DNA sequence: GGTGCTCAGTGATAAAGTCACATTCAACCG
DNA sequence: CGGTTGAATGTGACTTTATCACTGAGCACC
């Protein structure tokens, strides 16, 4: 049996079969762009496995990462686009090979109509996304960049060096590449990280805090 | 007949009567605090008239305005809190005398179950809120403060001087009071505004752009 | 071994945030 | 009416971020 999305697991058998029948299974490779700003929305993407990064492009050409979607997440942004019939404001990049279901509008509407459990999950997902964005607003508005950078490195260092360029880190934090370069250089001078081209290694002593 | 919320207007008569019966009508005065960070959620507030400001408090004690609710809006944040059963992360301040309905969880669930139109509106409302926050993120991360300040003044000057302190403006923009004071002083020196205690008047020549 | 990338480092300068304190205004009291 | 008080505003000094304009380093591919 094929891996499935948690959101469908809690549906009664009949509805679930119907949902699976109408959903289109899609496979995405790292680097693929799922949608860009302005694109129309063709259904609700539900991530089964993998990782997709959602980011925005500012007028100045700079970008900022808004959030990520992982297994059993769904693309909350798409629901808004579906309902309002307007295009996306952000863009989604596949980071790891990803499997997803694309649920067409009509099937989504039917599920919303017929399953309280489904409705509950959709609303909860929306709530989490709002929370994510509110926390992001707080960080950007009031957080110090050196702290945010260190925290990013801690969160993404699973004992291994992060394979990422300064430019990409800048987009993660919504700042400029030069700023990241300078901060990292400072960290290095203080023995907090080890740097190489396309690689940032948080030193052991820094991982606990 | 009493003024009603647009969201209920589009319900079939039976459902609507039921909704109105279960909803609690509340009257709020300017200055009231509807909820604070950490408070539990007791239902979905639906604004009929007036204006409520939703803002967040950063660790540093600074705040930032996330968005406003006006007639026929609803408090999207509350839905997430209801569904996840956790407290608010933000706080809501009444700006103008406001009339609202408080729809209890159960009544909300019933409406969601029984009206496609209602579901559609709720999801659209969520979509708008996500959009608001995304635009805010972009502004904070990439916008220039002098531009944001001028735009705020333009947006809130209906030909009349804005009655607001520098401190309050700082919260609107998510910055520090001193920064606002300095920018405004600059604007004044360049003849773009006229300042008085608790009052900022955008001069005619500036209102078009 | 050169050539052409992308990636990283850095100086100079401007914008924004922080801290500490001075000044001004308006309301209220006696 | 003058004096007192508290909020609102002004400002200097300094730090942190952002921007601009380059320079230098590492790596792949001929």
């Amino acid at each position: 049996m094929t891996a499935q999305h948690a959101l469908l697991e809690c549906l009664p058998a009949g509805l679930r079969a119907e949902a699976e029948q109408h959903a289109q299974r899609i496979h995405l490779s790292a680097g693929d762009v799922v949608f860009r700003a302005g694109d129309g929305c063709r259904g609700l993407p539900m991530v089964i496995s993998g990782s997709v990064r959602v980011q925005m492009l500012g007028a100045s050409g700079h970008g900022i990462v808004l959030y990520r979607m992982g297994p059993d997440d769904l693309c909350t942004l798409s629901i808004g686009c579906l309902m309002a019939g307007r295009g996306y404001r952000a863009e989604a990049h596949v980071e790891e090979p990803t499997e997803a279901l694309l649920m067409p509008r009509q099937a989504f509407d039917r599920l919303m109509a017929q399953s309280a459990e489904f409705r509950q999950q959709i609303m909860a997902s929306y709530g989490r996304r709002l929370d994510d964005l509110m926390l992001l607003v707080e960080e950007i508005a009031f957080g110090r960049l050196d702290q945010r950078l260190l925290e990013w490195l801690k969160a993404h260092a699973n004992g291994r060096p992060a394979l990422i360029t300064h430019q990409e880190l800048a987009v993660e934090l919504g700042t400029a590449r030069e700023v990241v370069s300078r901060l990292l250089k400072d960290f290095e001078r203080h023995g907090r990280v080890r740097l190489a081209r396309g690689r940032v290694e948080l030193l052991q002593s820094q991982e606990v805090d």
Side-chain angles (χ1 to χ4, degrees), chain A:
Chain A
M1 184 197 145
T2 338
Q4 203 43 280
H5 194 282
L7 194 37
L8 300 182
E9 310 265 333
C10 54
L11 292 174
L15 265 185
R16 180 170 163 186
E18 191 193 326
E20 290 178 18
Q21 184 191 337
H22 290 287
Q24 181 188 346
R25 203 171 192 93
I26 49 187
H27 300 267
L28 301 160
S29 312
D32 286 0
V33 177
V34 188
F35 54 79
R36 296 177 192 281
D39 283 4
C41 178
R42 290 195 311 283
L44 171 66
M46 305 170 64
V47 177
I48 294 171
S49 66
S51 171
V52 178
R53 187 182 72 236
V54 175
Q55 66 191 42
M56 242 181 134
L57 236 65
S60 47
H62 291 206
I64 182 170
V65 173
L66 296 174
Y67 58 85
R68 288 186 157 70
M69 294 182 289
D72 294 334
D73 267 342
L74 39 89
C75 183
T76 326
L77 262 189
S78 300
I79 308 183
C81 294
L82 277 179
M83 295 296 152
R86 53 155 183 67
Y88 289 101
R89 238 181 254 295
E91 53 187 46
H93 296 257
V94 178
E95 297 192 304
E96 296 168 15
T98 294
E99 231 185 331
L101 294 176
L102 188 65
M103 182 77 60
R105 165 83 195 250
Q106 297 219 332
F108 173 74
D109 284 345
R110 259 199 304 282
L111 289 177
M112 285 293 282
Q114 293 174 19
S115 166
E117 181 72 19
F118 185 82
R119 282 196 295 276
Q120 151 90 31
Q121 302 251 19
I122 293 289
M123 305 307 288
S125 170
Y126 246 128
R128 282 194 299 276
R129 214 50 92 199
L130 275 184
D131 260 22
D132 289 350
L133 285 183
M134 285 171 54
L135 288 176
L136 182 61
V137 166
E138 179 175 2
E139 282 213 337
I140 302 178
F142 307 125
R144 290 185 45 109
L145 208 45
D146 51 358
Q147 284 310 307
R148 294 212 289 137
L149 177 52
L150 263 184
E151 264 152 43
W152 193 97
L153 291 173
K154 274 177 204 162
H156 291 77
N158 305 312
R160 313 265 126 246
L163 299 179
I164 190 170
T165 66
H166 297 185
Q167 174 58 50
E168 288 164 339
L169 271 172
V171 172
E172 291 289 334
L173 304 176
T175 182
R177 199 261 316 156
E178 300 92 308
V179 177
V180 171
S181 288
R182 272 192 258 261
L183 285 174
L184 284 176
K185 209 65 192 167
D186 265 13
F187 290 168
E188 191 182 44
R189 278 191 273 270
H190 289 79
R192 298 153 84 82
V193 299
R194 183 172 300 134
L195 299 178
R197 162 175 272 236
R199 209 170 69 96
V200 180
E201 183 179 1
L202 195 57
L203 295 181
Q204 286 298 325
S205 52
Q206 298 301 316
E207 291 189 14
V208 272
D209 196 281

